[in-house]
Amino acid sequence: MTRTIEELIPDYIRGLPVYVPGRPIEEVERELKIHAVKLASNENPLGPSPRAVEAASLALGNAHRYPDGGTHLLREALARRTGVSTEEIFVGLGSSEIIDLASRVLLRAGLEGMTSHGSYPPFSVAIRASGAELVLVPQRHFAFDLEAMGKAITPKTGVIYLANPNNPTGTAFGAEELDEFLEGVPDGVLVVLDEAYIHYAPSLNRRKSEESYRRRRNLLILRTFSKVYGLAGMRIGFAIGRAELLSAMNRLKTPFNTSGLAQAGALAALDDREHVTRCIATNAIERKRLSAGLSGLGLRPVPSETNFIFMEVGPEAKGICDELLQLGVIVRPLGWMGFPEALRISIGTAEENDKCLAAMAEILTKRAGKGELAAR
Ligand SMILES: *Cc1c(COP(=O)(O)O)cnc(C)c1O
């Protein structure tokens, strides 16, 4: 037999795009020899909950033991909070793992998975990695076009991924729109509703999607500890969904997907309401200030329901991101997410946002002087 190992890799995996993470601060500082701020990955600028840090530090003493593979304590706490049974909670290695597992369990060649253009790239990767066909529905005004998505459902559709609020555009749809959409989705199609940014959305109420789940059990709600709880580095998230589906995901996941440190940290972070409240309030204040500052520079940020700001700046978007980087401000160019003329800025602390605004002002002034970019 003359087959090589590489030939075993199927075309649908060979063709997958690589996830492009925000550049780490240390790397940029080493390369440019400047102090940098990272506003590129929608991390919590106020850090982790201090109670989570304490709980995880204590758990470190048990690092020689395998963690609780069934994540019992955390699932019980989450079930109490969300009003479902513990069998309806799945804890994953970040929501990332659950996004992947949903497609791996339900999709295969011959079926279709659907999401929107201009949404979170891991949705498309999960669908394509399952061997199913990816169906991308265009957006309207930087938001999910739920009506068009409903019309795109075929007998082959197995899973539909929604992010509410959406990354990278920062827009959200309301509970009524969701319910109307769910009405039109057949029982045999799973809707994955990724609510990573739900805490930050002034127009949304977390309880609403749980109520929708009680009515329509073909919904899988994803939440994460990576954003408002400030535990992105711990890698832990969870899903609310029907027990039969979660049980199949359990068979497929690696035996100890989340660490004992992450479980202890998450459990403590859940109870730290003070930290969560402070993070939401700070984000709201800074979101308003950063948006106003960018508008004041002639830019047009899309109104945000999240902890980041999306805006189209024209064909020079990548160049502007590079120049911001040279000035020590790491933001995210969005060509790889389907918006070659846009960039995304995570909302930082007041100091970080000031640095970002000053750098942006410097770049736009210089460019206007050269006549390269008419301020918009
Ligand atoms: C940040 C983010 C997540 C979080 O992923 P984790 O794996 O839990 O860190 C999930 N979905 C979206 C849309 C995000 O932007």
Side-chain angles (χ1 to χ4, degrees):
M1 197 166 79
T2 57
R3 187 189 65 202
T4 66
I5 288 175
E6 288 70 27
E7 281 164 4
L8 280 175
I9 303 172
D11 284 343
Y12 62 83
I13 290 183
R14 218 184 281 276
L16 289 177
V18 176
Y19 186 81
V20 184
R23 294 191 59 188
I25 295 181
E26 298 75 17
E27 186 186 300
V28 171
E29 292 189 332
R30 217 179 312 123
E31 191 181 306
L32 301 174
K33 303 193 170 47
I34 47 166
H35 174 65
V37 299
K38 185 179 174 198
L39 302 175
S41 300
N42 306 339
E43 293 149 343
N44 191 328
L46 300 185
S49 146
R51 286 164 71 172
V53 173
E54 197 189 335
S57 310
L58 280 174
L60 203 47
N62 257 331
H64 59 304
R65 302 281 180 209
Y66 279 105
D68 172 10
T71 53
H72 291 97
L73 285 178
L74 185 55
R75 282 197 300 122
E76 273 164 25
L78 291 168
R80 266 199 309 277
R81 245 157 223 272
T82 54
V84 300
S85 69
T86 50
E87 289 72 36
E88 293 169 285
I89 301 281
F90 180 92
V91 177
L93 188 65
S95 344
S96 305
E97 183 191 28
I98 313 176
I99 290 168
D100 180 52
L101 282 174
S103 276
R104 283 174 69 201
V105 167
L106 298 175
L107 295 181
R108 67 199 78 106
L111 293 178
E112 293 170 359
M114 190 194 300
T115 186
S116 173
H117 266 291
S119 188
Y120 193 47
F123 300 158
S124 301
V125 171
I127 292 167
R128 290 172 62 182
S130 74
E133 194 179 323
L134 170 66
V135 176
L136 280 180
V137 177
Q139 287 188 333
R140 279 190 63 193
H141 310 304
F142 303 116
F144 276 80
D145 186 346
L146 293 181
E147 206 183 314
M149 291 184 81
K151 286 186 182 140
I153 296 174
T154 75
K156 289 190 197 161
T157 308
V159 182
I160 301 174
Y161 287 90
L162 308 175
N164 198 38
N166 185 42
N167 177 15
T169 58
T171 56
F173 49 80
E176 298 72 31
E177 274 175 274
L178 173 67
D179 283 339
E180 204 172 301
F181 172 73
L182 291 175
E183 286 289 315
V185 177
D187 286 339
V189 176
L190 180 76
V191 175
V192 179
L193 179 65
D194 183 342
E195 297 189 328
Y197 301 98
I198 190 88
H199 284 86
Y200 298 113
S203 74
L204 300 181
N205 169 353
R206 270 174 296 152
R207 293 271 160 208
K208 290 281 188 202
S209 52
E210 284 145 38
E211 280 168 28
S212 301
Y213 165 74
R214 263 174 226 114
R215 280 196 301 278
R216 290 302 310 272
R217 304 220 160 203
N218 56 344
L219 192 59
L220 184 73
I221 301 169
L222 306 190
R223 306 258 171 86
T224 181
F225 287 95
S226 297
K227 304 286 153 66
V228 82
Y229 296 104
L231 299 179
M234 287 261 194
R235 311 305 308 126
I236 188 161
F238 69 99
I240 303 166
R242 57 205 281 160
E244 299 80 357
L245 172 64
L246 301 193
S247 149
M249 290 185 359
N250 248 319
R251 287 160 215 263
L252 210 50
K253 76 170 176 72
T254 51
F256 300 100
N257 54 345
T258 58
S259 72
L261 300 194
Q263 291 179 32
L267 197 57
L270 261 188
D271 279 335
D272 195 347
R273 287 191 192 268
E274 193 193 323
H275 184 257
V276 168
T277 307
R278 192 165 66 92
C279 293
I280 295 171
T282 307
N283 183 69
I285 293 168
E286 286 303 310
R287 175 169 56 198
K288 202 164 157 193
R289 217 171 57 80
L290 185 57
S291 305
L294 292 166
S295 300
L297 293 174
L299 298 162
R300 291 178 304 181
V302 171
S304 167
E305 301 259 1
T306 60
N307 65 346
F308 58 83
I309 290 173
F310 170 96
M311 57 189 183
E312 288 204 306
V313 295
E316 287 298 306
K318 178 72 172 65
I320 291 175
C321 290
D322 290 342
E323 284 173 45
L324 283 170
L325 189 69
Q326 297 299 319
L327 295 174
V329 181
I330 314 172
V331 303
R332 206 72 165 269
L334 296 176
W336 70 292
M337 284 201 190
F339 297 101
E341 303 205 342
L343 53 87
R344 192 190 69 194
I345 305 176
S346 306
I347 295 160
T349 60
E351 199 185 354
E352 290 168 336
N353 298 333
D354 283 341
K355 178 163 176 165
C356 174
L357 283 171
M360 188 65 101
E362 184 179 332
I363 290 166
L364 293 181
T365 308
K366 203 168 68 197
R367 283 175 171 256
K370 284 195 207 150
E372 278 174 18
L373 182 92
R376 303 166 63 117

mmCIF file of all heavy atoms in Angstrom, residues 299-300 311-320 339-343 373 376:
data_model
loop_
_atom_site.group_PDB
_atom_site.id
_atom_site.type_symbol
_atom_site.label_atom_id
_atom_site.label_comp_id
_atom_site.label_asym_id
_atom_site.label_seq_id
_atom_site.Cartn_x
_atom_site.Cartn_y
_atom_site.Cartn_z
ATOM 1 N N LEU A 299 -15.843 58.436 12.947
ATOM 2 C CA LEU A 299 -16.085 57.024 12.630
ATOM 3 C C LEU A 299 -17.536 56.670 12.946
ATOM 4 O O LEU A 299 -18.241 57.443 13.590
ATOM 5 C CB LEU A 299 -15.113 56.144 13.435
ATOM 6 C CG LEU A 299 -13.641 56.408 13.111
ATOM 7 C CD1 LEU A 299 -12.739 55.860 14.202
ATOM 8 C CD2 LEU A 299 -13.274 55.789 11.758
ATOM 9 N N ARG A 300 -17.971 55.495 12.489
ATOM 10 C CA ARG A 300 -19.372 55.117 12.674
ATOM 11 C C ARG A 300 -19.516 53.764 13.343
ATOM 12 O O ARG A 300 -19.803 52.756 12.685
ATOM 13 C CB ARG A 300 -20.077 55.098 11.320
ATOM 14 C CG ARG A 300 -20.232 56.501 10.715
ATOM 15 C CD ARG A 300 -20.897 56.415 9.368
ATOM 16 N NE ARG A 300 -20.135 55.524 8.476
ATOM 17 C CZ ARG A 300 -20.480 55.281 7.223
ATOM 18 N NH1 ARG A 300 -21.569 55.790 6.723
ATOM 19 N NH2 ARG A 300 -19.739 54.485 6.470
ATOM 20 N N MET A 311 -16.943 48.366 13.759
ATOM 21 C CA MET A 311 -17.215 49.460 12.812
ATOM 22 C C MET A 311 -16.517 49.235 11.496
ATOM 23 O O MET A 311 -15.456 48.623 11.431
ATOM 24 C CB MET A 311 -16.830 50.810 13.404
ATOM 25 C CG MET A 311 -15.409 50.887 13.828
ATOM 26 S SD MET A 311 -15.145 52.413 14.728
ATOM 27 C CE MET A 311 -13.394 52.244 15.014
ATOM 28 N N GLU A 312 -17.165 49.718 10.457
ATOM 29 C CA GLU A 312 -16.559 49.681 9.132
ATOM 30 C C GLU A 312 -15.790 50.976 8.967
ATOM 31 O O GLU A 312 -16.297 52.061 9.269
ATOM 32 C CB GLU A 312 -17.643 49.551 8.066
ATOM 33 C CG GLU A 312 -18.252 48.160 8.056
ATOM 34 C CD GLU A 312 -18.864 47.790 6.725
ATOM 35 O OE1 GLU A 312 -19.699 48.576 6.253
ATOM 36 O OE2 GLU A 312 -18.499 46.725 6.186
ATOM 37 N N VAL A 313 -14.543 50.865 8.497
ATOM 38 C CA VAL A 313 -13.711 52.057 8.329
ATOM 39 C C VAL A 313 -13.213 52.199 6.895
ATOM 40 O O VAL A 313 -12.477 53.127 6.582
ATOM 41 C CB VAL A 313 -12.504 52.054 9.301
ATOM 42 C CG1 VAL A 313 -12.978 52.151 10.742
ATOM 43 C CG2 VAL A 313 -11.640 50.818 9.103
ATOM 44 N N GLY A 314 -13.598 51.261 6.029
ATOM 45 C CA GLY A 314 -13.186 51.350 4.631
ATOM 46 C C GLY A 314 -12.065 50.382 4.299
ATOM 47 O O GLY A 314 -11.621 49.609 5.147
ATOM 48 N N PRO A 315 -11.584 50.448 3.050
ATOM 49 C CA PRO A 315 -10.584 49.477 2.569
ATOM 50 C C PRO A 315 -9.274 49.522 3.358
ATOM 51 O O PRO A 315 -8.479 48.582 3.279
ATOM 52 C CB PRO A 315 -10.357 49.879 1.109
ATOM 53 C CG PRO A 315 -11.268 51.012 0.804
ATOM 54 C CD PRO A 315 -12.010 51.403 2.031
ATOM 55 N N GLU A 316 -9.072 50.584 4.131
ATOM 56 C CA GLU A 316 -7.822 50.710 4.892
ATOM 57 C C GLU A 316 -7.891 50.033 6.256
ATOM 58 O O GLU A 316 -7.014 50.238 7.109
ATOM 59 C CB GLU A 316 -7.480 52.192 5.078
ATOM 60 C CG GLU A 316 -6.981 52.854 3.811
ATOM 61 C CD GLU A 316 -5.699 52.212 3.326
ATOM 62 O OE1 GLU A 316 -4.751 52.130 4.126
ATOM 63 O OE2 GLU A 316 -5.652 51.769 2.169
ATOM 64 N N ALA A 317 -8.941 49.238 6.501
ATOM 65 C CA ALA A 317 -9.153 48.656 7.834
ATOM 66 C C ALA A 317 -7.923 47.911 8.369
ATOM 67 O O ALA A 317 -7.486 48.135 9.491
ATOM 68 C CB ALA A 317 -10.369 47.728 7.806
ATOM 69 N N LYS A 318 -7.352 47.060 7.525
ATOM 70 C CA LYS A 318 -6.208 46.266 7.984
ATOM 71 C C LYS A 318 -5.025 47.188 8.288
ATOM 72 O O LYS A 318 -4.328 47.011 9.295
ATOM 73 C CB LYS A 318 -5.847 45.233 6.906
ATOM 74 C CG LYS A 318 -4.644 44.369 7.217
ATOM 75 C CD LYS A 318 -4.962 43.353 8.320
ATOM 76 C CE LYS A 318 -3.846 42.334 8.524
ATOM 77 N NZ LYS A 318 -2.589 42.894 9.008
ATOM 78 N N GLY A 319 -4.831 48.193 7.423
ATOM 79 C CA GLY A 319 -3.737 49.150 7.618
ATOM 80 C C GLY A 319 -3.901 49.913 8.925
ATOM 81 O O GLY A 319 -2.932 50.131 9.660
ATOM 82 N N ILE A 320 -5.138 50.291 9.232
ATOM 83 C CA ILE A 320 -5.394 51.017 10.484
ATOM 84 C C ILE A 320 -5.096 50.119 11.688
ATOM 85 O O ILE A 320 -4.476 50.550 12.669
ATOM 86 C CB ILE A 320 -6.857 51.530 10.509
ATOM 87 C CG1 ILE A 320 -7.025 52.647 9.459
ATOM 88 C CG2 ILE A 320 -7.236 52.044 11.894
ATOM 89 C CD1 ILE A 320 -8.452 53.145 9.296
ATOM 90 N N PHE A 339 -15.489 40.587 6.996
ATOM 91 C CA PHE A 339 -15.650 42.044 6.901
ATOM 92 C C PHE A 339 -14.289 42.705 6.629
ATOM 93 O O PHE A 339 -13.663 43.232 7.553
ATOM 94 C CB PHE A 339 -16.225 42.611 8.203
ATOM 95 C CG PHE A 339 -17.601 42.112 8.548
ATOM 96 C CD1 PHE A 339 -17.765 41.118 9.500
ATOM 97 C CD2 PHE A 339 -18.729 42.640 7.933
ATOM 98 C CE1 PHE A 339 -19.034 40.643 9.833
ATOM 99 C CE2 PHE A 339 -19.995 42.181 8.255
ATOM 100 C CZ PHE A 339 -20.152 41.179 9.209
ATOM 101 N N PRO A 340 -13.835 42.685 5.368
ATOM 102 C CA PRO A 340 -12.498 43.226 5.063
ATOM 103 C C PRO A 340 -12.374 44.723 5.336
ATOM 104 O O PRO A 340 -11.265 45.231 5.455
ATOM 105 C CB PRO A 340 -12.316 42.919 3.576
ATOM 106 C CG PRO A 340 -13.668 42.582 3.054
ATOM 107 C CD PRO A 340 -14.492 42.102 4.197
ATOM 108 N N GLU A 341 -13.504 45.420 5.468
ATOM 109 C CA GLU A 341 -13.432 46.877 5.691
ATOM 110 C C GLU A 341 -13.765 47.258 7.132
ATOM 111 O O GLU A 341 -14.033 48.423 7.424
ATOM 112 C CB GLU A 341 -14.387 47.591 4.727
ATOM 113 C CG GLU A 341 -14.082 47.263 3.275
ATOM 114 C CD GLU A 341 -14.543 48.326 2.310
ATOM 115 O OE1 GLU A 341 -15.389 49.152 2.683
ATOM 116 O OE2 GLU A 341 -14.040 48.329 1.173
ATOM 117 N N ALA A 342 -13.768 46.270 8.024
ATOM 118 C CA ALA A 342 -14.190 46.561 9.404
ATOM 119 C C ALA A 342 -13.120 46.174 10.407
ATOM 120 O O ALA A 342 -12.186 45.422 10.105
ATOM 121 C CB ALA A 342 -15.487 45.824 9.714
ATOM 122 N N LEU A 343 -13.248 46.715 11.609
ATOM 123 C CA LEU A 343 -12.406 46.267 12.711
ATOM 124 C C LEU A 343 -13.242 46.193 13.982
ATOM 125 O O LEU A 343 -14.345 46.756 14.049
ATOM 126 C CB LEU A 343 -11.191 47.171 12.891
ATOM 127 C CG LEU A 343 -11.409 48.679 13.030
ATOM 128 C CD1 LEU A 343 -11.665 49.041 14.478
ATOM 129 C CD2 LEU A 343 -10.153 49.402 12.550
ATOM 130 N N LEU A 373 -7.148 59.093 3.516
ATOM 131 C CA LEU A 373 -8.460 58.642 4.003
ATOM 132 C C LEU A 373 -9.247 59.865 4.398
ATOM 133 O O LEU A 373 -8.883 60.559 5.324
ATOM 134 C CB LEU A 373 -8.264 57.727 5.217
ATOM 135 C CG LEU A 373 -9.532 57.132 5.815
ATOM 136 C CD1 LEU A 373 -9.819 55.783 5.190
ATOM 137 C CD2 LEU A 373 -9.360 56.946 7.317
ATOM 138 N N ARG A 376 -14.455 59.820 7.959
ATOM 139 C CA ARG A 376 -15.831 59.512 7.591
ATOM 140 C C ARG A 376 -16.803 60.093 8.585
ATOM 141 O O ARG A 376 -16.528 60.168 9.724
ATOM 142 C CB ARG A 376 -16.016 57.989 7.512
ATOM 143 C CG ARG A 376 -15.043 57.404 6.543
ATOM 144 C CD ARG A 376 -14.979 55.896 6.723
ATOM 145 N NE ARG A 376 -16.265 55.309 6.431
ATOM 146 C CZ ARG A 376 -16.487 54.441 5.433
ATOM 147 N NH1 ARG A 376 -15.530 54.106 4.652
ATOM 148 N NH2 ARG A 376 -17.658 53.926 5.242
#
